Amino acid sequence: MSKLTIVMYHYVRPIKNSEFPNIKGLEFDSFIKQLDYLQENFSVVTNDDVISSVKHKSKLPENACWLTFDDGYKDHHEYVLPELVRRNIVGAFFPPKVAIKDSKMLNVNSIHHILACCNNFDDLMFKLKNLSISFGMSQRELDNFFLKYAVSNRFDNSSTIFVKRMLQDVLPENIRNKITSLLFKEYVGTSQSDFAKKLYMNKEEISNLIKNNMFVGSHGSMHYRLDQISEEEQRNDLNQSLEFLEEIGAQVSDWVMCYPYGAYNDKTISIVKELGAIMGITTEARDAFIGKDNPLTLPRLDTNDFPQ
C-alpha cells in the first residue's frame, strides 16, 4: 500500500492585479511558494508513477504527491505550465470538452464571476428569486429549497451555497441556463460566449501541455454532476470526452477520470471502468492509499489545505 497526497488546483493567476480580484483562487506568487513547500516536503510524482502503482502495485516514494489542475483555464497554460516545466514537474490537467472545443462557459465559472462582480448580495438574491418565480417557481418552493440547500461548507457561507446550488443543479437546466446568462450579462458586463474565449485554453494550448509532457485526462464533456443525469446521458457524456481526448492527442488507454464537482454514483463507476479508466479522482478531502482505496474514487486535498 502506498500513501499518495493528491492536490487539486483551479484558478491560479495574479488575482489581486487581475480584472476579477474577488475570484476565489490561488495567487500565482502563493502557487510558487506552495510548490517550494511541496518539493521540500514531498516527492512530487508523475501520472505514470501513479498509474504504475495502481496497475502493477509498484511502490510510490515516501510522501508521494501528485498535482492536478481542473477545468482547463488559460491560467494553466500561461502561468502554471512554465513554472512546472522550469521545475521539471509533471502535472495532470483535466479540461472539459465543452469549455475547450466549444468555447462555452461552465456553469460553475459563470456563477463564480457573477459572485465576484456582485457588490450587493441581497440584490443578487432578490433577482435570483424573482427570476425563478418568473420562470414558474413558487415562493413556497423557493423557501423549501433555501431550507434544504443553504448549508455552509468549509469554503462558503449558506447564502452563497444556496445561489451556487440553485444555478448549478437545483433549477431545471434550461431555466438555470437562462437565469445564469441574464445575471452574467448584468453583473459581469459581457456575454458568456465572449468571456469563455478569454477564460479557457483552446485546443492548441491543450496540445501544448501534452507536448511539454503534461498529462491530460477527462473532466467529462459538459461538466455535469454525473450522479444527477441518467445512465445513458452519463455514457454519452463520457464517450464524447474520450473522443475529445483522442482528438487532441491525449492518452485514451489507461485514462484518468476527474469527476466534475467530485460527483458520481455506482453507474458512473461502472461506465468509466467499462470504458477503460485506470483511475478516478474525487473531491473527498483526505490522502489516498493506493492498494486500499478504490482506484476509481481516489480522494484529493485542496490547495487551501497546504501552506501558501
Side-chain angles (χ1 to χ4, degrees):
M1 182 174 68
S2 294
K3 179 181 175 183
L4 174 63
T5 300
I6 308 176
V7 187
M8 171 175 55
Y9 293 94
H10 289 89
Y11 301 107
V12 180
R13 63 177 71 156
I15 294 171
K16 292 177 183 176
N17 297 320
S18 74
E19 188 179 355
F20 301 97
N22 293 324
I23 280 290
K24 289 184 178 179
L26 182 62
E27 281 285 346
F28 183 59
D29 287 346
S30 297
F31 176 64
I32 291 174
K33 292 176 184 176
Q34 188 165 96
L35 290 182
D36 289 340
Y37 170 82
L38 292 174
Q39 288 190 295
E40 288 170 6
N41 293 277
F42 293 85
S43 296
V44 183
V45 297
T46 69
N47 189 78
D48 287 343
D49 294 329
V50 182
I51 287 179
S52 179
S53 181
V54 169
K55 196 171 183 179
H56 304 298
K57 297 181 172 56
S58 58
K59 286 284 288 182
L60 290 172
E62 188 174 354
N63 294 324
C65 176
W66 182 37
L67 308 186
T68 65
F69 301 85
D70 292 9
D71 295 343
Y73 303 120
K74 278 194 183 289
D75 298 356
H76 298 164
H77 187 265
E78 184 174 355
Y79 299 109
V80 172
L81 175 62
E83 189 63 24
L84 295 187
V85 169
R86 186 178 75 81
R87 294 170 181 258
N88 198 30
I89 293 174
V90 177
F93 295 80
F94 297 95
K97 187 207 85 169
V98 69
I100 309 304
K101 186 173 180 179
D102 304 328
S103 293
K104 289 187 178 180
M105 286 288 291
L106 303 183
N107 196 274
V108 63
N109 295 147
S110 293
I111 298 166
H112 287 163
H113 285 83
I114 290 169
L115 291 169
C117 294
C118 174
N119 296 317
N120 186 329
F121 197 83
D122 290 338
D123 181 64
L124 173 60
M125 289 280 282
F126 177 79
K127 288 174 180 173
L128 170 60
K129 290 178 179 180
N130 276 358
L131 285 167
S132 298
I133 289 171
S134 73
F135 282 105
M137 182 167 288
S138 70
Q139 183 63 53
R140 183 175 180 178
E141 285 177 304
L142 278 171
D143 292 341
N144 288 336
F145 282 144
F146 189 84
L147 288 172
K148 182 176 181 179
Y149 295 111
V151 179
S152 62
N153 63 20
R154 65 191 186 124
F155 298 122
D156 293 310
N157 62 36
S158 59
S159 294
T160 301
I161 290 293
F162 174 72
V163 171
K164 288 183 175 182
R165 290 300 306 274
M166 289 291 286
L167 294 179
Q168 284 175 359
D169 51 60
V170 174
L171 291 167
E173 185 175 10
N174 64 325
I175 293 176
R176 67 176 182 257
N177 287 345
K178 290 175 183 177
I179 292 176
T180 301
S181 180
L182 290 168
L183 293 174
F184 190 89
K185 182 70 174 176
E186 177 171 353
Y187 285 97
V188 184
T190 187
S191 71
Q192 290 171 296
S193 58
D194 288 342
F195 196 84
K197 293 180 177 65
K198 298 193 301 181
L199 184 63
Y200 305 112
M201 287 181 276
N202 55 40
K203 288 170 61 178
E204 290 71 26
E205 289 165 332
I206 295 288
S207 295
N208 195 43
L209 294 179
I210 298 169
K211 289 176 184 175
N212 280 277
N213 300 315
M214 300 297 149
F215 177 83
V216 176
S218 173
H219 203 32
S221 176
M222 301 299 293
H223 202 257
Y224 288 138
R225 287 183 182 269
L226 293 171
D227 62 341
Q228 296 189 6
I229 60 177
S230 70
E231 180 177 0
E232 181 180 1
E233 289 170 323
Q234 289 191 50
R235 187 178 299 277
N236 288 339
D237 187 82
L238 293 167
N239 273 321
Q240 288 179 34
S241 175
L242 291 178
E243 289 171 5
F244 169 67
L245 292 183
E246 189 168 21
E247 185 178 331
I248 61 174
Q251 183 172 321
V252 290
S253 62
D254 289 340
W255 57 281
V256 179
M257 179 66 202
C258 176
Y259 305 103
Y261 308 100
Y264 62 89
N265 56 23
D266 290 343
K267 294 186 185 302
T268 318
I269 302 305
S270 177
I271 294 168
V272 297
K273 184 176 182 180
E274 176 190 329
L275 294 176
I278 187 71
M279 286 188 294
I281 52 178
T282 71
T283 56
E284 182 187 356
R286 63 175 177 84
D287 288 320
F289 291 89
I290 306 300
K292 178 181 178 182
D293 289 322
N294 183 340
L296 295 177
T297 58
L298 296 177
R300 288 189 293 175
L301 291 166
D302 188 82
T303 174
N304 292 301
D305 294 317
F306 299 90
Q308 300 172 8

